[in-house]
Amino acid sequence: MNKSLLAFKLECSLIGIITVLFFILSPALSITFGNLVFGILTAVLGLLITAKTIMKRPYLQVIDNLAKMLLVLTFPATLLTSICLSFSSIMTANTYVKWGILAAILAIFGVLLLPFIKIILMPQSQIGWQIASSILLMTSFFSTSLNAFQYLKIPFTLNLGSPIIWILIIGNFTIAIYLMIYWGYRLPRLKINTSVNYWWLLLAVVTLLLNMGLSAGSWMRLLTNFDLTLAQNSLLIVLFTIIWTGLKEEFMFRYLFLWPLASIKRVSIESRVFWSSLISALFFGLCHAQNLTEQGVLQTCLQIFAAFGIGFLFSVIALYTGTIWISVIIHCMIDLIGFPINNGGAFSGNTSWFLVEFILLTRIIELIVAFLLIKNKNNQRAFSETFSRLRRDESKLLK
């Protein structure tokens, strides 16, 4: 057994022990039953996991990878929870001591994540499992880890101005980028492919910007009272929207998801662009199903369809230009600029006929533009530029 695997198993065991002990002996901390279950689950899975990436029987390999995906969901949060529980008795309201302990907690958390990264994440060699592990990490690492700080029982608030929030966000992105580089994928370019036709690109961008009219509420207002405004929020909220909505979603679905899919060789460039963009867009749409807890079924279905259409064109643009930054900028503009509305968003409240008609019309336009962009023979060279540099070594492309 190598040292990293031994360290990881030891960490998982300690997580289970610490969680159970504090649940039994420290009722004042109000450890939830869910945290207890996740702590025990992490310990059990950690002890059963193996470092071997190839097994004689395929179904054992699938079971092993599924266990690792569960650990991607549970380990970071339960690890941070265990660390916070261990420090809860010495925490104080004194500002300097408090932030010193918080810095120590984050430093220990970072160091103890290393065996997890080396044993669970880095060995993934199949594209499907690479995508699953990186997406699960991006969707769960930040949100689930934040809950751990409640057990410190100190009077401080985790708001957008807290450095803890931004440290966890930066850490999340850093791990995902490191994994993609380790797996052999190149980072998206900052500059656009040299073979791009800027008229086609302009058509795609203008089509995407039509989404700014989603919050108009009616055709009359959209066509006669064009009063787009920047969202009236604080600078921190605007920055958080840019990083945690626009950048994170494009990073996840147009890089972590799209790049590995596009690296799979197919019969033609067209099919390679189409299928990788389609699958990425489908998952991008389905990820909005989580909003079902905050809005109605019809609104959620419309949002899923809307996300699918815009996600498909975003994906095609990313492969056409070789960069995700155009999609990031447009995504942020759509999120931050729109018609002033009184409710929580275009999909909040009652569903109007305008919303249904607008989504159907703009999605049809987006899909038509995306298909034309893919089918145009003169655009194939730009797509080829992207495919030629998805990975550091083209001989590693999986067929």
Side-chain angles (χ1 to χ4, degrees):
M1 185 181 297
N2 63 53
K3 292 181 180 179
S4 295
L5 180 59
L6 181 61
F8 179 70
K9 287 180 177 290
L10 179 60
E11 288 176 16
C12 290
S13 301
L14 289 174
I15 286 171
I17 293 170
I18 291 171
T19 305
V20 171
L21 286 178
F22 274 90
F23 181 80
I24 296 172
L25 302 177
S26 301
L29 289 174
S30 303
I31 299 173
T32 65
F33 183 73
N35 280 336
L36 175 65
V37 171
F38 283 128
I40 295 173
L41 179 63
T42 299
V44 173
L45 291 174
L47 291 173
L48 295 177
I49 215 72
T50 174
K52 295 180 180 179
T53 56
I54 299 176
M55 297 183 178
K56 292 181 179 180
R57 298 185 180 182
Y59 74 90
L60 291 176
Q61 180 70 61
V62 172
I63 293 172
D64 186 65
N65 279 322
L66 287 174
K68 288 178 179 177
M69 294 306 103
L70 284 174
L71 282 168
V72 173
L73 286 173
T74 65
F75 182 82
T78 53
L79 173 63
L80 188 55
T81 298
S82 299
I83 297 171
C84 288
L85 288 171
S86 302
F87 277 88
S88 60
S89 61
I90 62 171
M91 200 57 167
T92 175
N94 181 279
T95 301
Y96 298 106
V97 175
K98 176 183 72 175
W99 285 106
I101 292 175
L102 286 172
I105 289 173
L106 291 173
I108 293 170
F109 179 56
V111 171
L112 295 183
L113 277 177
L114 295 177
F116 162 74
I117 295 171
K118 189 171 182 179
I119 297 300
I120 303 300
L121 298 173
M122 289 171 59
Q124 297 297 345
S125 58
Q126 297 179 332
I127 283 178
W129 295 113
Q130 288 175 349
I131 293 173
S133 56
S134 60
I135 295 296
L136 286 174
L137 183 72
M138 285 296 296
T139 53
S140 64
F141 180 89
F142 174 76
S143 56
T144 57
S145 297
L146 277 181
N147 296 325
F149 292 99
Q150 65 180 307
Y151 297 115
L152 293 175
K153 296 293 184 181
I154 55 173
F156 80 104
T157 305
L158 287 175
N159 52 40
L160 295 183
S162 172
I164 293 175
I165 297 285
W166 298 100
I167 290 171
L168 289 175
I169 290 175
I170 292 170
N172 204 348
F173 276 96
T174 302
I175 294 172
I177 291 171
Y178 174 79
L179 289 172
M180 290 294 281
I181 293 173
Y182 178 83
W183 290 331
Y185 300 102
R186 295 179 186 267
L187 292 172
R189 302 178 71 182
L190 292 176
K191 61 181 182 179
I192 297 173
N193 289 338
T194 57
S195 301
V196 165
N197 182 307
Y198 284 89
W199 288 110
W200 275 105
L201 181 58
L202 178 62
L203 175 62
V205 169
V206 170
T207 302
L208 290 170
L209 292 178
L210 293 175
N211 287 277
M212 290 183 181
L214 185 66
S215 57
S218 69
W219 291 107
M220 181 66 70
R221 186 184 184 194
L222 177 65
L223 300 174
T224 63
N225 187 20
F226 198 72
D227 57 346
L228 292 176
T229 58
L230 182 67
Q232 301 299 308
N233 294 314
S234 68
L235 181 60
L236 276 175
I237 293 178
V238 170
L239 184 61
F240 187 79
T241 301
I242 290 173
I243 293 177
W244 200 241
T245 304
L247 178 57
K248 187 194 79 167
E249 290 186 357
E250 293 308 308
F251 178 77
M252 284 173 54
F253 291 98
R254 257 58 75 181
Y255 178 53
L256 300 181
F257 210 117
L258 184 62
W259 248 231
L261 284 175
S263 71
I264 302 174
K265 286 186 175 180
R266 298 188 185 275
V267 176
S268 66
I269 292 175
E270 290 180 18
S271 64
R272 200 167 167 182
V273 175
F274 174 78
W275 286 109
S276 57
S277 299
L278 178 67
I279 296 171
S280 174
L282 282 171
F283 277 89
F284 179 58
L286 289 173
C287 84
H288 289 78
Q290 62 184 328
N291 296 327
L292 192 59
T293 58
E294 301 174 358
Q295 58 195 28
V297 175
L298 178 58
Q299 292 94 328
T300 304
C301 289
L302 281 171
Q303 192 172 21
I304 290 172
F305 178 64
F308 164 73
I310 197 172
F312 189 81
L313 187 50
F314 272 142
S315 297
V316 173
I317 289 175
L319 294 177
Y320 184 56
T321 60
T323 180
I324 66 170
W325 298 108
I326 293 175
S327 299
V328 169
I329 293 169
I330 297 173
H331 196 145
C332 293
M333 291 176 65
I334 293 170
D335 286 339
L336 294 172
I337 302 174
F339 287 79
I341 50 179
N342 296 322
N343 53 30
F347 295 96
S348 301
N350 296 324
T351 302
S352 65
W353 279 110
F354 165 78
L355 183 64
V356 176
E357 294 166 358
F358 185 88
I359 288 175
L360 288 175
L361 178 61
T362 51
R363 289 332 100 159
I364 291 171
I365 295 173
E366 286 169 356
L367 292 174
I368 290 173
V369 170
F371 281 120
L372 291 174
L373 192 59
I374 295 171
K375 297 295 291 184
N376 187 282
K377 298 299 181 182
N378 295 325
N379 291 329
Q380 304 306 302
R381 188 175 175 185
F383 289 120
S384 296
E385 276 190 66
T386 301
F387 294 146
S388 67
R389 64 173 314 279
L390 288 175
R391 304 194 66 158
R392 292 195 300 270
D393 183 356
E394 272 295 293
S395 64
K396 292 181 181 180
L397 290 181
L398 303 182
K399 297 183 179 180

